[in-house]
């Protein structure tokens, strides 16, 4: 790289981080992208890997491949453990450090268990490829073990699938698992009737998709119930174990639990020693900088910032992308000596959630859609934002095949078994 160029370090190669890299193209900077994984994930479709609809390679791309045509960008596969603000250095797990002139923290979030982290082995969340393949393995192994189980109670527990949290991820998981059991798997098994699988969606609040208009949430609940999903509202989960869950004073024996109830930010606030909200998100300035440190930006799930309606900017891909573009423009303005772009203004482009392979809901604000037409728009929108023509074609063909034939081609049980299935007698497969 050329000497004397402005050094931009971006921690996190998610939507926001990559958008900043893309919009810094041609600027007089040298960029270092640091991520603890070597791939970028299209998180909105991560649940489709977890439910055997898509393969991992269809929603994830090597970061180095994405940066291949950018000689000014260096990619580091490393874990950040701290930031030395005085020396302007990012500290890595192996003891090395990376100097910066401008730092962008786009480190994302993990699932939160509201003070019960001991539940995580029994109820994995869905934020990474590893999470998705773990959940897929548990779902598919539950059917395999039920096929060999002779005790009726144990078989019922194996065929009970619990999703905690009825936001978009929880709704999408519940609908897809129900369709997997009802439409895809019945011809494959001889000793069990997969139609009898129970899919239970548990929500502590009074509605599914709480951020959507009430008529769309009512439609979503009815549609899920038509698929056979049991929707339990106003019932907080108070216990998760290898045997099942306790919610609303009721006990449900279930061997597969998925957590979709909340998130917590990365430890970026701890690295910087700055104020954070109760979920660990940095309380940032309107220009997306850290208080007292204009050379440090933070975006995405890492931060909290009021939106135009007074509510926090949502932790969704469009918001992260808009923030990444804003930061790139701010850096360019500083280097060129031009005016700063002003305060960050989030523009909400709509909320979309799939219920099943033929139903979805969309809230654009000025118009609300539901049913098949919403599903087609949902699919086109997601395909558009995928990276690469090959990926777009592959995903489109997969969805058309599922739509027409009820077949999901990614039903592979990989990576052996995990501690949850081992502790309950599960067999391994690869």
């Amino acid at each position: 790289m050329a000497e004397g160029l402005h050094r931009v370090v971006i921690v996190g190669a998610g939507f926001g981080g990559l958008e900043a890299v893309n919009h810094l193209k041609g600027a007089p900077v040298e960029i270092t992208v640091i991520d603890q994984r070597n791939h970028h994930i299209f998180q909105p479709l991560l649940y489709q890997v977890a439910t055997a609809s898509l393969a991992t390679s269809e929603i994830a791309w090597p970061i180095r491949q994405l940066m291949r045509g950018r000689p000014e960008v260096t990619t580091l596969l490393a874990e950040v453990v701290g930031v030395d603000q005085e020396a302007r250095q990012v500290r890595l797990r192996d003891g090395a450090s990376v100097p910066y002139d401008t730092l962008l923290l786009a480190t994302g979030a993990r699932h939160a268990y509201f003070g019960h982290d001991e539940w995580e082995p029994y109820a994995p969340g869905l934020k990474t490829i590893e999470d998705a393949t773990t959940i897929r393995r548990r779902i598919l192994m539950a059917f395999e073990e039920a096929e060999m189980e002779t005790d009726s109670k144990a078989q019922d527990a194996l065929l009970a699938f619990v999703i905690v949290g009825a936001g978009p991820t929880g709704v999408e998981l519940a609908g897809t698992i129900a369709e997997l059991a009802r439409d895809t798997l019945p011809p494959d098994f001889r000793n069990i009737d997969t139609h009898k699988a129970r899919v239970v969606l548990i929500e502590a609040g009074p509605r599914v998709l709480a951020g959507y208009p009430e008529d769309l949430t009512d439609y979503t609940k009815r549609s899920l119930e038509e698929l056979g999903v049991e929707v339990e509202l106003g019932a907080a989960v108070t216990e998760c174990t290898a045997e099942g869950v306790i919610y609303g004073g009721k006990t449900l024996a279930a061997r597969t639990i998925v957590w979709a109830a909340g998130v917590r930010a990365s430890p970026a606030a701890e690295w910087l020693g700055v104020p954070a909200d109760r979920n660990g998100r940095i309380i940032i300035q309107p220009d997306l900088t850290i208080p007292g440190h204009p050379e440090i930006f933070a975006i995405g799930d890492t931060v909290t910032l009021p939106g135009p309606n007074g509510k926090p900017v949502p932790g969704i891909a469009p918001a992260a992308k808009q923030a990444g573009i804003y930061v790139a423009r701010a850096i360019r303005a500083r280097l060129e000596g031009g005016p700063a772009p002003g305060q960050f203004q989030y523009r909400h482009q709509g909320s979309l959630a799939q219920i099943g392979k033929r139903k979805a809901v969309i809230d654009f604000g000025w118009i609300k859609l539901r049913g098949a037409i919403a599903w087609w728009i949902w699919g086109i929108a997601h395909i558009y934002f995928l990276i690469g023509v090959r990926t777009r074609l592959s995903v489109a063909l997969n969805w058309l095949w599922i739509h027409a034939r009820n077949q999901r081609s990614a039903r592979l049980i990989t990576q052996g078994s995990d501690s949850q299935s081992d502790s309950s007698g599960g067999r391994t497969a690869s």
Side-chain angles (χ1 to χ4, degrees), residues 6 23-29 328-341:
H6 189 86
H23 283 79
L24 283 171
K25 187 174 184 178
V29 297
R329 289 174 178 168
I331 293 172
R332 282 182 176 273
R334 292 179 183 182
L335 295 177
E336 296 167 1

Side-chain angles (χ1 to χ4, degrees), residues 61-337:
W61 304 267
I63 300 167
R64 292 187 184 279
Q65 175 185 324
L66 299 178
M67 298 296 108
R68 181 178 295 174
R70 299 287 299 278
E72 80 280 18
V73 180
T74 297
T75 301
L76 299 180
L77 178 63
E79 181 182 356
V80 173
V81 295
V83 176
D84 186 334
Q85 298 166 70
E86 298 305 317
R88 295 196 177 186
Q89 292 185 336
V90 174
R91 295 188 288 110
L92 306 181
R93 173 71 67 186
D94 64 2
S97 60
V98 181
Y100 65 85
D101 296 310
T102 296
L103 173 63
L104 171 57
L105 298 174
T107 46
R110 287 289 289 170
H111 29 275
Y113 292 87
F114 310 114
H116 291 280
D117 289 350
E118 71 275 12
W119 294 351
E120 184 169 11
Y122 314 114
L126 186 57
K127 288 292 181 183
T128 67
I129 286 291
E130 293 86 351
D131 294 335
T133 53
T134 293
I135 293 167
R136 183 182 68 189
R137 181 172 63 251
R138 292 189 183 186
I139 292 171
L140 296 178
M141 280 300 297
F143 288 103
E144 294 293 343
E145 293 183 30
E147 177 81 348
M148 300 177 65
E149 182 59 65
T150 55
D151 181 83
S152 60
K153 288 186 177 180
Q155 191 178 82
D156 289 343
L158 285 165
L159 293 177
F161 302 89
V162 173
I163 298 93
V164 183
T169 298
V171 165
E172 290 167 338
L173 279 167
T176 309
I177 294 172
E179 288 184 334
L180 182 71
R182 189 180 74 171
D183 299 334
T184 304
L185 296 180
D188 296 355
F189 290 88
R190 302 295 177 264
N191 299 326
I192 58 172
D193 179 1
T194 63
H195 290 94
K196 295 181 179 179
R198 294 180 65 190
V199 181
V200 184
L201 179 62
I202 302 173
E203 168 58 44
R207 293 194 293 149
V208 301
L209 299 178
Y212 287 63
E214 191 167 350
D215 58 336
L216 292 185
T217 67
D218 291 343
Y219 172 81
T220 300
K221 181 175 181 292
R222 291 195 306 271
S223 298
L224 287 171
E225 290 171 341
E226 288 171 4
L227 288 173
V229 177
E230 301 173 33
V231 181
E232 299 278 359
L233 301 176
V237 170
T238 55
E239 188 64 54
C240 285
T241 69
E243 305 304 319
V245 297
I246 299 175
Y247 66 97
K250 296 184 287 187
T251 299
L252 173 60
R255 287 274 300 278
T256 304
I257 308 168
V258 182
W259 191 264
V263 297
R264 66 169 181 261
S266 73
E270 299 173 18
W271 300 343
L272 300 170
V274 296
D277 69 4
R278 60 189 180 91
N279 291 318
R281 296 174 296 194
I282 300 170
I283 301 172
I284 55 169
Q285 304 282 78
D287 63 354
L288 306 186
T289 61
I290 303 301
H293 287 275
E295 76 282 1
I296 302 178
F297 293 89
I299 63 175
D301 292 334
T302 309
V303 307
T304 181
L305 181 73
N309 58 1
K311 297 180 180 179
V313 173
I316 57 177
K321 287 188 170 190
Q322 290 177 34
I325 294 170
Y326 173 92
V327 170
R329 289 174 178 168
I331 293 172
R332 282 182 176 273
R334 292 179 183 182
L335 295 177
E336 296 167 1

